[in-house]
Amino acid sequence: MIPSLRMITETNVVKTWHVTKAFDGVSIRDFLSSVGEFSRQLLKKVRLNGKLFVNGLKREIWQPLSTGDELKVIFPAEERGAIVPHKGLLSIIYEDEDVLILDKPSGIPVVPPLDSTGTSIANHLLYEYDKRGYPCTVHIVTRLDRDTSGLMLIAKHAYSHMLLTKNLDQVKRRYQAVVHGSFMEREGLIDKPIGREEGSIIRRTVSSAGKPSKTMFQLDRCGTDYSFLKVRLLTGRTHQIRVHMSYLGYPLVGDTLYGGKEVEGTKGQALHCDQLHFRHPWTKKRMTFVSDPPKEWNIFA
């Protein structure tokens, strides 16, 4: 049973299902919990501030459904935090009613730093949403560091975000990285726990007290000064690739926080998310997106 989602006005996101015989007599609450995978929190928000219609008539969440009924949920406008909308360029490579795929450049954070009023991807998204009259806040599914470029998955509303993060193990990413030195191994798995470095709120380090962290790597090509790797994350720790590469003795080019050196003509660490795979939360269709690394990387060839 695949739900359909559409915008019916500038201020409402609407979700519609058709009830099958298997759910005859089931309450709206139990139907949404089972078929829609609604969390208790989302059910509460819909009950208090949203609207429920069955065959065009307003209903309450405890009322039963019958075979053939059309159940429509009108989600309430979402609350926003302190992030202020700010005009800026967004490289949107795909968008539908549920998800949005960005190709993020290096040098911009995903959300504003706590100690800064500078702009970010989140600021730009809110500006775009306001321009469209879209009543939702920003829901980041896959985050990238400020100086990491590449593909990002954004959920366009809270319900989509809930389903995607609930099945986050089905969201797969691959990165391309350029590291210092002549990499010796063809492929392998780095299985070293990562934790916060003592005395720092930013740096992470390999530590027995850290959380389990696994990074798969494959050597793409190797030179005297630089090596190109393809990397996949099996866990999602902060700075994971950067920390693991530094631990092996091959820090990312430009990653001065973890031992890398800046190279004239490039900016930030040489790390780019070039592949993104996930299952669409509504259609369940497998989706794949690709992105070429920055052109500045040609300097390493």
Side-chain angles (χ1 to χ4, degrees):
M1 181 180 302
I2 299 176
S4 59
L5 178 68
R6 61 190 178 91
M7 296 290 293
I8 60 168
T9 73
E10 288 188 342
T11 57
N12 293 107
V13 174
V14 177
K15 179 88 164 55
T16 303
W17 287 272
H18 291 88
V19 180
T20 62
K21 185 177 180 180
F23 296 93
D24 187 81
V26 171
S27 70
I28 294 174
R29 178 192 297 275
D30 290 344
F31 181 90
L32 291 177
S33 179
S34 175
V35 177
E37 299 181 74
F38 277 46
S39 65
R40 291 183 180 180
Q41 183 180 22
L42 189 57
L43 282 170
K44 182 178 180 180
K45 288 182 178 180
V46 170
R47 177 175 62 83
L48 295 177
N49 300 306
K51 295 180 181 179
L52 300 166
F53 291 90
V54 176
N55 303 324
L57 300 176
K58 191 172 182 181
R59 290 290 183 261
E60 299 297 331
I61 202 166
W62 52 266
Q63 292 182 287
L65 295 166
S66 299
T67 303
D69 281 348
E70 180 187 78
L71 171 61
K72 182 176 294 183
V73 177
I74 300 181
F75 291 85
E78 296 178 8
E79 295 181 3
R80 292 183 176 179
I83 300 177
V84 178
H86 190 279
K87 186 176 182 181
L89 294 177
L90 290 171
S91 180
I92 300 173
I93 65 171
Y94 175 82
E95 182 178 9
D96 60 28
E97 294 160 323
D98 314 309
V99 299
L100 185 150
I101 310 299
L102 294 179
D103 198 346
K104 174 189 170 298
S106 174
I108 182 171
V110 173
V111 296
L114 294 176
D115 60 348
S116 172
T117 58
T119 190
S120 70
I121 294 295
N123 296 101
H124 298 171
L125 280 169
L126 284 183
Y127 180 89
E128 181 65 24
Y129 289 174
D130 281 352
K131 187 172 69 174
R132 303 178 185 187
Y134 194 63
C136 298
T137 190
V138 175
H139 299 283
I140 307 296
V141 180
T142 61
R143 183 176 297 198
L144 296 176
D145 294 338
R146 173 196 290 268
D147 292 325
T148 299
S149 57
L151 299 170
M152 286 181 56
L153 173 58
I154 311 293
K156 287 185 63 178
H157 48 84
Y159 184 36
S160 177
H161 184 255
M162 185 200 71
L163 291 176
L164 285 166
T165 53
K166 184 178 182 180
N167 298 290
L168 199 56
D169 60 330
Q170 297 185 28
V171 179
K172 307 294 184 183
R173 290 180 285 173
R174 192 186 76 174
Y175 294 79
Q176 290 192 36
V178 184
V179 299
H180 288 287
S182 183
F183 207 82
M184 302 302 294
E185 299 183 61
R186 301 298 302 179
E187 59 184 12
L189 170 68
I190 309 170
D191 185 0
K192 296 292 180 181
I194 292 175
R196 192 186 302 272
E197 185 173 291
E198 186 176 355
S200 175
I201 62 172
I202 299 176
R203 284 179 57 92
R204 268 56 175 180
T205 187
V206 169
S207 167
S208 59
K211 295 181 179 180
S213 307
K214 297 181 180 181
T215 304
M216 295 182 64
F217 64 86
Q218 181 180 15
L219 180 62
D220 188 27
R221 60 186 188 274
C222 180
T224 303
D225 298 318
Y226 309 112
S227 298
F228 289 75
L229 304 177
K230 295 179 179 178
V231 185
R232 295 185 185 276
L233 296 176
L234 301 185
T235 55
R237 309 303 173 207
T238 300
H239 299 175
Q240 181 172 318
I241 295 174
R242 301 165 63 185
V243 172
H244 274 167
M245 288 298 113
S246 179
Y247 174 80
L248 291 185
Y250 300 95
L252 296 177
V253 170
D255 191 3
T256 56
L257 186 63
Y258 293 106
K261 297 179 181 179
E262 294 181 346
V263 174
E264 187 176 354
T266 67
K267 57 181 179 179
Q269 65 262 8
L271 185 61
H272 179 83
C273 182
D274 74 322
Q275 289 187 9
L276 173 65
H277 312 270
F278 66 97
R279 187 178 70 168
H280 194 280
W282 312 138
T283 67
K284 309 306 178 186
K285 177 182 177 182
R286 294 286 181 180
M287 307 191 77
T288 298
F289 298 90
V290 297
S291 167
D292 293 330
K295 292 181 180 179
E296 307 92 81
W297 285 23
N298 293 335
I299 197 173
F300 305 123

